[in-house]
Amino acid sequence: LDHDRAVRELKDGRKAGCWSWWIFPTPPFIRNGERVGSPINQVYELADDAEGLAYLLFRDGQLRSNYLAVLDAMSGSLEEGVEPRRLLGIDVPRAVASVRYFSHLATLGDGDEALRDGCERALGLLVPDDSADAGGGGGRQQKRAHPG
């Protein structure tokens, strides 16, 4: 399973597989009003908050549990001193965009404290000079295609 592989690689301190699109889903990447995500990103992107919340609820919350496990594995390696670029390679901006988006989703409805806390922990390690609600995408300005 890709989820198990992703968690194992993150715990081992280095992403080696090609799984970031579905392990770190993001909202559409929009620049100057234009959708700029790659075709494969467009397959796995979460179109809006409703789709993001549905993702978290899918199969009685299995995808939410998987995402929390990924956040924990990633944060654990980062806390051990693994640099974000070594851990995630070129996918640091994707991970940051995903974690920021899931941090936003954690504030909707009744809220999701565990998801919010996991996202804040990860963001503090991925972009220590930034905060969870600062927006952007790890050096590249990225905006959600829907109102936040």
Side-chain angles (χ1 to χ4, degrees):
L1 296 165
D2 284 331
H3 165 74
D4 295 335
R5 178 181 179 180
V7 169
R8 186 176 59 252
E9 288 178 12
L10 291 168
K11 284 182 176 180
D12 288 346
R14 185 171 223 156
K15 177 185 168 294
C18 191
W19 41 254
S20 68
W21 290 287
W22 49 91
I23 298 296
F24 294 122
T26 65
F29 290 116
I30 306 295
R31 186 176 296 131
N32 299 324
E34 298 287 326
R35 194 174 185 190
V36 296
S38 70
I40 196 163
N41 188 74
Q42 291 177 22
V43 169
Y44 294 103
E45 70 190 11
L46 300 171
D48 54 29
D49 290 350
E51 192 168 291
L53 292 171
Y55 175 94
L56 292 169
L57 295 173
F58 185 73
R59 292 198 176 160
D60 295 320
Q62 184 61 49
L63 292 180
R64 176 189 173 275
S65 295
N66 287 355
Y67 197 80
L68 288 171
V70 165
L71 288 175
D72 188 58
M74 178 174 61
S75 295
S77 285
L78 294 168
E79 286 169 342
E80 290 174 4
V82 178
E83 292 294 320
R85 178 73 176 185
R86 175 166 173 72
L87 182 62
L88 299 167
I90 64 170
D91 291 314
V92 172
R94 171 177 305 287
V96 169
S98 179
V99 175
R100 282 190 175 132
Y101 182 60
F102 278 82
S103 180
H104 160 73
L105 291 175
T107 68
L108 301 179
D110 293 334
D112 185 331
E113 189 174 335
L115 181 59
R116 185 196 70 224
D117 291 349
C119 289
E120 287 179 4
R121 176 182 173 212
L123 281 173
L125 296 160
L126 285 168
V127 282
D129 59 339
D130 206 5
S131 67
D133 58 355
R140 292 191 308 184
Q141 191 66 3
Q142 298 172 357
K143 299 178 186 173
R144 290 192 303 272
H146 54 278

